[in-house]
Amino acid sequence: MIRVVGLGLEGVASASPRGRRLLAQAKVIVGADRHLAMVDGCAAERVRWDGAPDRLCELLERHGGASAVVVASGDPNLFGIGATLLERLGADAVDVEPSVSSLQLALVRARVPAAGAAVLSAHGRPLAAAAGQAASFRRSAILTDPDHDPGAVAAALREAGVEAAARLVVCERLGGPDERVREGTVGGPPDGPFDPLSVVVLDRLAAPGPGVGRPDDEYQHDAGLMTKAEVRAVVLAALDPGPEDVVWDVGAGSGSVAVEAGRLAARGAVYAVERRPERAEQARRNSARSWNVEVLTGEAREVLPRLPAPDAVFLGGGGDEVGALVGLSLERLRERPSPIPGRLVAGLATLESVLEATRALGRAGVEWRLSQVSVARGRQLGGRLGWEALNPVHVLAGRVAR
């Protein structure tokens, strides 16, 4: 059993009562230099750790095994080594005793309720991902690092669409005798320099929705060759991406479905596959502000086997190969460990494609439902209001159990 104890800036005094007992009983304490400096009063041997998870298990085996304790910051089960070890070794191998996390303290110091707040990290992680997720929340707390300081966080929040007037609080050295809390806005954050491990709190009056079915003119596209807004909304409802899902958009075209699926699968990943290089570049431009959309250029049959198994697949193209792509997608959907059924959705323009796709689903024993989505948009006609019909699209959806 690996025991991990969280510490605040006041060292052993900031540990929980159980954490202090574990440290007192330990024969070996393993941690980074700054954490080891906090436990100078403990009798245990101290062993320096460079932060690499693979190296940690080796150090523990060499220096005491069951009698060793790992020290880390705040709540190691949040974004720290505790969460990493639980994922790698399993619940039976790890015992985490947290202290109060800097994210909790930051929300308190900023006078922001913690309930419903997003707890995010740009510490050794992509800043765009933290900012993109924060953009969909009213309140959030974001860990920073020397490369992603509060000034960079504010800039990333603006890029992600957060309004410049939103309240932004920078919290530094929380829990220590020289802690500092300063307030500004996303458009005018407090001046640097900042402590390397600051926390940024974002506090807004309201947050937007996920942006499903955004207007077509928000995307670059070729002569209207894209999944239209109304059809996109139907497709995304059928795909039903979960927050941590892997989504494929095959035949991505402009990438509009991938971009909106990425906002729904905010902690997941979306892979947009497009065989035409010029369309793939268009999709990259449209997804430039998406933190979890990767556009891949190539033939689907060659690209898809290299991707992680999906939770949801959208086939926006395929032509004569739609049956083969349905079969390949079903194979990969059945590789998932999740008990939640996978989703396969296709947006098909022709009856021939519908027949080929439904036959492929039938051969695989997958039940399906088929809808024809016909949309007419209002327009001005000689000073009067009329309707302009769009080409109908067939939306085919199936659910795939393991």
Side-chain angles (χ1 to χ4, degrees):
M1 174 73 71
I2 296 177
R3 289 180 169 81
V4 185
V5 172
L7 302 174
L9 288 184
E10 293 186 348
V12 176
S14 60
S16 70
R18 180 172 182 263
R20 292 195 291 272
R21 289 197 300 273
L22 290 173
L23 289 169
Q25 296 164 4
K27 295 182 179 178
V28 174
I29 297 176
V30 180
D33 287 340
R34 67 188 184 91
H35 295 129
L36 293 178
M38 297 176 182
V39 295
D40 271 343
C42 296
E45 175 189 358
R46 286 180 288 282
V47 175
R48 184 179 180 277
W49 171 49
D50 61 8
D54 293 337
R55 173 81 171 141
L56 179 59
C57 294
E58 177 188 333
L59 287 174
L60 291 172
E61 289 178 5
R62 187 189 308 167
H63 292 282
S67 62
V69 170
V70 179
V71 286
S73 296
D75 183 355
N77 197 41
L78 198 52
F79 292 109
I81 187 60
T84 301
L85 291 174
L86 282 167
E87 183 177 342
R88 291 190 176 202
L89 305 178
D92 294 338
V94 184
D95 176 15
V96 177
E97 183 61 29
S99 179
V100 177
S101 75
S102 59
L103 292 163
Q104 287 176 284
L105 284 173
L107 289 165
V108 171
R109 298 294 192 266
R111 308 312 197 259
V112 171
V119 178
L120 304 167
S121 178
H123 182 74
R125 293 172 167 83
L127 176 55
Q133 292 177 69
S136 64
F137 282 85
R138 182 179 170 188
R139 300 181 292 266
S140 56
I142 306 170
L143 281 170
T144 71
D145 67 14
D147 294 324
H148 303 138
D149 70 12
V153 170
L157 290 170
R158 294 193 297 272
E159 176 65 20
V162 176
E163 61 279 8
R167 179 173 177 249
L168 184 140
V169 183
V170 176
C171 304
E172 304 169 84
R173 300 183 289 277
L174 290 169
D178 57 347
E179 77 171 25
R180 183 169 66 165
V181 178
R182 294 181 292 157
E183 184 169 332
T185 65
V186 168
D191 294 331
F194 304 99
D195 185 82
L197 301 178
S198 304
V199 178
V200 171
V201 174
L202 177 65
D203 183 23
R204 310 165 72 186
L205 296 176
V212 171
R214 300 300 291 266
D216 296 347
D217 60 12
E218 291 192 10
Y219 300 97
Q220 297 180 29
H221 55 87
D222 291 332
L225 295 176
M226 66 181 301
T227 303
K228 302 299 191 293
E230 297 85 354
V231 176
R232 205 181 311 133
V234 173
V235 163
L236 287 162
L239 284 172
D240 195 23
E244 299 181 6
D245 276 356
V246 172
V247 181
W248 291 358
D249 181 2
V250 183
S254 69
S256 60
V257 170
V259 168
E260 296 184 11
R263 289 198 280 269
L264 295 170
R267 298 189 299 278
V270 178
Y271 298 92
V273 181
E274 174 54 53
R275 66 182 178 83
R276 290 161 291 192
E278 68 280 5
R279 294 272 180 85
E281 284 305 312
Q282 198 173 70
R284 289 189 182 95
R285 291 193 293 272
N286 285 327
S287 63
R289 290 173 60 176
S290 300
W291 61 94
N292 58 349
V293 176
E294 181 177 355
V295 180
L296 302 161
T297 308
E299 295 292 339
R301 288 177 299 173
E302 298 173 1
V303 175
L304 298 185
R306 305 198 302 265
L307 299 182
D311 298 285
V313 177
F314 174 58
L315 300 179
D320 295 339
E321 297 186 344
V322 67
L325 292 177
V326 168
L328 177 56
S329 298
L330 292 175
E331 288 179 14
R332 298 301 310 282
L333 282 163
R334 285 177 169 143
E335 293 178 6
R336 315 157 50 247
S338 172
I340 298 171
R343 286 81 65 201
L344 174 64
V345 180
L348 307 169
T350 68
L351 291 174
E352 288 82 1
S353 292
V354 171
L355 291 172
E356 189 173 350
T358 53
R359 287 173 186 147
L361 290 171
R363 287 193 297 269
V366 175
E367 294 185 2
W368 48 266
R369 68 180 189 275
L370 177 66
S371 304
Q372 185 188 80
V373 181
S374 298
V375 175
R377 291 177 173 172
R379 58 171 294 189
Q380 293 293 326
L381 297 171
R384 310 283 287 182
L385 179 61
W387 295 101
E388 181 179 46
L390 305 181
N391 289 331
V393 176
H394 307 92
V395 178
L396 176 65
R399 294 177 70 82
V400 185
R402 289 178 61 199

